[in-house]
Amino acid sequence: MANHKSSLKRIRQTKTRTLHNRYYAKTMRNAVRKLRAMTNKEEAVALYPKVQKMLDKLAKRNIIHKNKAANLKSSLALHVNKLG
């Protein structure tokens, strides 16, 4: 166990931030899953900008890596464009 006040505070902060980041990462994964499951092009085109915005925000705040966000956006754009 930590012996210094600062390390105890750091443990508390890390726990809080981990919960916060885990929530937003899970929300993002669910949104990506929902978009990939869509078969209707109009609905997918309407949802894609929201998912894209979410990915950009998470990458900006270092919750996910910027390259992961770029790869997801690219693959989702391909998926949306392939829908007929």
Side-chain angles (χ1 to χ4, degrees):
M1 189 61 200
N3 292 320
H4 296 281
K5 263 185 156 180
S6 61
S7 55
L8 290 170
K9 180 178 178 180
R10 180 65 60 204
I11 290 168
R12 288 196 310 270
Q13 287 177 331
T14 303
K15 201 179 295 183
T16 305
R17 288 187 183 132
T18 301
L19 280 173
H20 179 265
N21 292 345
R22 194 185 297 159
Y23 168 78
Y24 283 104
K26 183 69 173 178
T27 304
M28 177 268 304
R29 282 197 303 274
N30 286 337
V32 167
R33 218 175 273 133
K34 183 178 175 185
L35 185 59
R36 281 211 178 110
M38 284 189 171
T39 54
N40 186 352
K41 185 162 184 146
E42 290 79 29
E43 290 177 12
V45 168
L47 183 64
Y48 178 69
K50 294 174 186 161
V51 175
Q52 188 178 14
K53 184 178 177 182
M54 187 185 303
L55 289 167
D56 287 335
K57 277 187 179 179
L58 294 179
K60 184 177 82 176
R61 296 182 181 143
N62 289 322
I63 295 172
I64 60 172
H65 196 273
K66 63 178 182 147
N67 289 353
K68 181 185 176 86
N71 289 336
L72 282 171
K73 287 194 304 186
S74 174
S75 66
L76 290 173
L78 279 172
H79 172 70
V80 169
N81 287 331
K82 282 182 182 176
L83 291 175

